């Protein structure tokens, strides 16, 4: 938590939901958000973007998608272009989530291309970085996260981070109930901010750095209290209105 950056809490619904379930969840979140000072967003599956737009337009909750094509248009069956997300009022899109990297083989270069495609369409990319358990145990967390970050800086330039968010999500903490300790998370956040600061101090100071990986109502406040943690990217707990609201409250 810092005085120069607003906190952001973004929910990543992953491949969960239905029209009926989403309607209740979104309405419950809106009903409980009064007084929340943090920025709040939900990243929903593609088919529910229209619903998110209908329910959330004119409210304090922004919405976005969970991935995007690196291409603007064309013969890419099954893909969704950034301009299409913009058509549905998206503010954010996740790029390089570890599940995309691990399960769908997204390379650092592909993630950088998606990041740039998102910005080209006026979206704010939420760039996800993070190490696996094997990488942490091999003591190469810093190397891995720096490589993932630098792929984007090299391709898009450090100034591009002025219109982006970075989320540190240690893969071993995602959906496992194992959270990085506030000190472990802070150390990586400080490393990320330091790397950006080496290229541009002003961009680094304003960059929102989210932590993701088993954030729950019970651990959110201590994570968000760290100086370089500016909010969270929330998976499982974003599917339960009361939990998501408690995490938003912890960020405000
Ligand atoms: P969990 O909060 O379920 O661990 O998921 C984190 C995540 O991957 C958010 O993008």
């Amino acid at each position: 938590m810092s005085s120069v950056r607003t906190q952001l809490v973004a929910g990543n619904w992953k491949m969960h939901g239905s029209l009926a379930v989403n309607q209740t969840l979104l309405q419950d979140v809106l009903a409980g958000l009064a007084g929340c000072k943090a920025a709040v967003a939900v990243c929903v599956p593609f088919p529910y973007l229209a619903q998110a737009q209908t329910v959330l337009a004119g409210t304090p909750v922004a919405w976005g998608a969970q991935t995007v094509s690196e291409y603007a248009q064309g013969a890419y069956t099954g893909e969704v272009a950034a301009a299409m997300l913009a058509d549905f009022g998206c503010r954010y899109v996740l790029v390089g989530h570890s599940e995309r990297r691990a399960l769908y083989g997204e390379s650092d270069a592909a993630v950088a291309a998606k990041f740039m495609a998102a910005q080209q369409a006026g979206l704010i990319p939420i760039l996800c970085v993070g190490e696996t358990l094997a990488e942490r145990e091999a003591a190469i967390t810093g190397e891995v996260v720096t490589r993932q970050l630098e792929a984007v800086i090299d391709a898009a330039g450090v100034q591009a981070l002025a219109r982006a968010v970075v989320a540190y999500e240690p893969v071993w903490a995602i959906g496992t109930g194992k959270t990085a300790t506030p000190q472990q998370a802070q150390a990586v956040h400080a490393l990320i901010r330091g790397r950006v600061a080496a290229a541009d101090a002003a961009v680094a100071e304003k960059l929102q750095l989210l932590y993701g990986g088993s954030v729950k109502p019970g651990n959110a406040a201590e994570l968000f209290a760290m100086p370089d943690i500016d909010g969270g990217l929330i998976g499982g707990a974003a599917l339960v209105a009361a939990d998501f609201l408690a995490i938003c409250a912890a960020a405000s």
Side-chain angles (χ1 to χ4, degrees):
M1 192 159 306
S2 120
S3 52
V4 290
R5 298 177 294 272
T6 39
Q7 302 266 303
L8 169 63
V9 177
N12 172 10
W13 289 4
K14 308 193 180 185
M15 200 171 73
H16 293 288
S18 69
L19 284 173
V21 166
N22 304 346
Q23 196 71 21
T24 306
L25 176 56
L26 291 174
Q27 274 162 356
D28 289 352
V29 167
L30 288 174
L33 261 189
C36 177
K37 292 197 195 75
V40 176
V42 287
C43 294
V44 307
F46 292 136
Y48 300 127
L49 286 172
Q51 181 184 29
Q53 185 173 33
T54 301
V55 177
L56 299 176
T59 76
V61 178
W63 60 97
Q66 300 169 11
T67 186
V68 65
S69 173
E70 57 266 58
Y71 304 111
Q73 62 175 352
Y76 302 105
T77 301
E79 291 292 288
V80 174
M84 298 173 186
L85 302 181
D87 259 352
F88 284 90
C90 287
R91 178 171 171 81
Y92 297 104
V93 62
L94 305 180
V95 297
H97 190 281
S98 62
E99 289 152 17
R100 302 293 317 172
R101 293 178 190 262
L103 302 174
Y104 301 98
E106 290 186 7
S107 65
D108 291 336
V111 171
K114 287 165 187 277
F115 179 101
M116 290 191 288
Q119 287 195 331
Q120 195 80 39
L123 304 175
I124 298 176
I126 300 178
L127 169 67
C128 303
V129 298
E131 83 287 7
T132 63
L133 183 58
E135 289 164 341
R136 174 158 285 263
E137 286 173 346
I140 55 169
T141 296
E143 213 173 293
V144 169
V145 167
T146 302
R147 189 200 73 224
Q148 293 170 335
L149 180 70
E150 285 186 350
V152 170
I153 295 178
D154 289 348
V158 69
Q159 288 296 329
L161 289 175
R163 294 172 290 121
V165 174
V166 175
Y168 168 56
E169 296 206 311
V171 178
W172 48 272
I174 294 177
T176 58
K178 286 186 197 152
T179 320
T181 65
Q183 292 72 25
Q184 281 174 322
Q186 167 59 28
V188 179
H189 282 231
L191 179 138
I192 293 171
R193 200 179 304 284
R195 171 62 192 85
V196 177
D200 191 310
V203 169
E205 177 153 334
K206 293 204 183 102
L207 180 63
Q208 281 174 320
L209 291 181
L210 311 185
Y211 169 77
S214 299
V215 178
K216 306 289 177 206
N219 60 26
E222 56 174 10
L223 286 161
F224 299 163
M226 302 310 284
D228 288 297
I229 300 184
D230 309 311
L233 182 54
I234 318 301
L239 301 173
V240 180
D243 288 357
F244 189 62
L245 285 166
I247 293 168
C248 293
S252 14

